[in-house]
């Protein structure tokens, strides 16, 4: 029985093209990019090319790209860097975020509050639309930053980032977009969407783990969170991960170039899976159907079964999936995202997330549906027998 990997939102395999791009930096071009000798200069040239390639793919300027250790670090730097800037001026920080943000943004905002700042959580509708009244408070009170996830990592709702970013630009409030799940799935052009800050991660799109970027639009100020060197404009000091940056840039280039065709392909597969699962399990609840959806995510609530037993049984059947965010420490409980979107209804049914990617095809979808239905039926019979 072959394993079927449907957890691409958690991570993805390294693409061969990315591995090939990185290989010289792991052998001959291994120098420290801050060294002045020839091998160091070669590493610096590779880093500069990667920055230019990444910027070009996203519609940014090379000087607006910071290489960091991943999406979590990028999100933390965006939120805490803005808050520390206000704190350094002797004022109380005030940060805002939508109610469906990734845990790395929620955690950063909570840290601001724990250190004496203020945190405002903007409610969202089941369509993923931020509450207009709460946004008005964000604009009126001039928040240091408003974080809005571009594509929610659990249910796949696409946020109205462009509209909110334009409003923030008009009101003088920088908007930060977490684009980790958006790149390669929906159009991401930073020359058309006026966010002040945007985060990305390599390993979600066929790149290496441990590297990401933070886009910082010219004129947007940040305070550093790490100290000790001048690399990355002093905002992320430390010896640069040249191979990682090269891999990130190649992964983003490929994802952006293929986005249109790949989105159509993944959406067709997601619809195929959704219809077949609902036909077999008609009382399952599909989350995210009320709003604009990313093509690669299918999140359901499965009634009458235990969430942990569901994931473990699917794993034994060779179906590799999750309940939601891979950063939730294996929890199978309803997440803050589901509760924010659906209230108490968000706690009903075992959460189950399928996320599709480059290796997903019709055969994988059909086999996964067959095995999933078999597991749900078996667990449902067991639960009924106990009652």
């Amino acid at each position: 029985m072959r394993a079927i990997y449907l957890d691409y939102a958690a991570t993805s395999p390294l693409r061969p093209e990315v591995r090939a791009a990185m290989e010289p930096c792991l052998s001959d071009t291994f120098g420290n990019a801050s060294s002045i000798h020839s091998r160091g200069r070669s590493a610096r040239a590779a880093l500069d090319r990667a920055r230019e390639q990444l910027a070009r793919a996203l519609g940014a300027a090379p000087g607006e790209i910071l290489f960091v250790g991943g999406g979590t670090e990028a999100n933390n730097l965006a939120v805490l860097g803005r808050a520390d800037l206000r704190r350094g001026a002797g004022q109380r920080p005030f940060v805002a975020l939508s109610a469906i943000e990734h845990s790395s943004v929620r955690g950063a905002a909570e840290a601001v509050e724990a250190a004496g700042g203020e945190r405002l959580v903007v409610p969202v509708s089941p369509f993923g639309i931020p509450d207009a009244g709460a946004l008005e408070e964000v604009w009126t009170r001039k928040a240091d930053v408003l974080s809005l996830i571009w594509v929610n990592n659990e249910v796949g709702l696409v946020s109205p980032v462009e509209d909110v970013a334009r409003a923030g630009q008009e009101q003088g409030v920088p908007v930060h977009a977490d684009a980790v799940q958006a790149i390669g799935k929906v159009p991401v052009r930073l020359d058309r969407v006026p966010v002040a800050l945007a985060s990305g991660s390599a390993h979600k799109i066929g790149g290496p783990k441990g590297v990401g970027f933070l886009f910082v639009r010219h004129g947007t100020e940040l305070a550093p969170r790490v100290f000790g060197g001048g690399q990355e404009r002093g905002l992320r000091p430390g010896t640069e991960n040249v191979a990682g940056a090269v891999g990130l840039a190649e992964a983003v280039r490929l994802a952006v170039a293929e986005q249109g065709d790949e989105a159509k392909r993944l959406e067709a597969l997601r619809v195929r899976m959704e219809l077949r699962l609902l036909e077999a399990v008609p009382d399952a609840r599909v989350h995210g159907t009320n709003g604009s959806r990313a093509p690669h995510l299918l999140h359901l609530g499965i009634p009458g079964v235990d969430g942990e037993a569901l994931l473990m049984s699917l794993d034994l059947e060779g179906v590799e999936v999750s309940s939601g965010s891979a950063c939730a420490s294996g929890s199978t409980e309803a997440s803050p995202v589901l509760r924010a979107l659906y209230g108490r209804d968000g706690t009903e049914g075992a959460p189950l997330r399928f996320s599709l990617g480059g290796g997903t095809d019709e055969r994988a979808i059909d086999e996964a549906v067959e095995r999933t239905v078999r597991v749900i039926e078996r667990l449902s019979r067991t639960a009924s027998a106990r009652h």
Side-chain angles (χ1 to χ4, degrees), residues 49 114 161-162 258:
R49 287 194 300 271
V161 171
E162 182 171 0
E258 298 167 358

Side-chain angles (χ1 to χ4, degrees), residues 315-385:
D315 185 44
L316 291 173
E317 287 283 343
V319 181
E320 298 171 329
V321 293
S322 65
S323 61
S325 172
C327 299
S329 302
S331 172
T332 58
E333 300 298 319
S335 71
V337 168
L338 293 179
R339 291 196 294 270
L341 287 169
Y342 309 114
R344 294 186 64 182
D345 288 345
T347 66
E348 296 179 359
L352 182 61
R353 184 188 72 179
F354 298 94
S355 50
L356 287 51
T360 310
D361 56 19
E362 287 190 356
R363 179 188 171 197
I365 291 295
D366 293 345
E367 288 186 11
V369 168
E370 180 182 338
R371 298 180 197 181
T372 300
V373 170
R374 186 162 63 238
V375 165
I376 292 172
E377 289 176 345
R378 184 170 68 243
L379 293 177
S380 296
R381 287 195 300 269
T382 301
S384 297

Side-chain angles (χ1 to χ4, degrees), residues 48-63:
D48 290 344
R49 287 194 300 271
R51 200 184 310 275
E52 291 167 2
Q53 179 178 319
L54 177 56
R56 185 165 55 250
L58 297 175

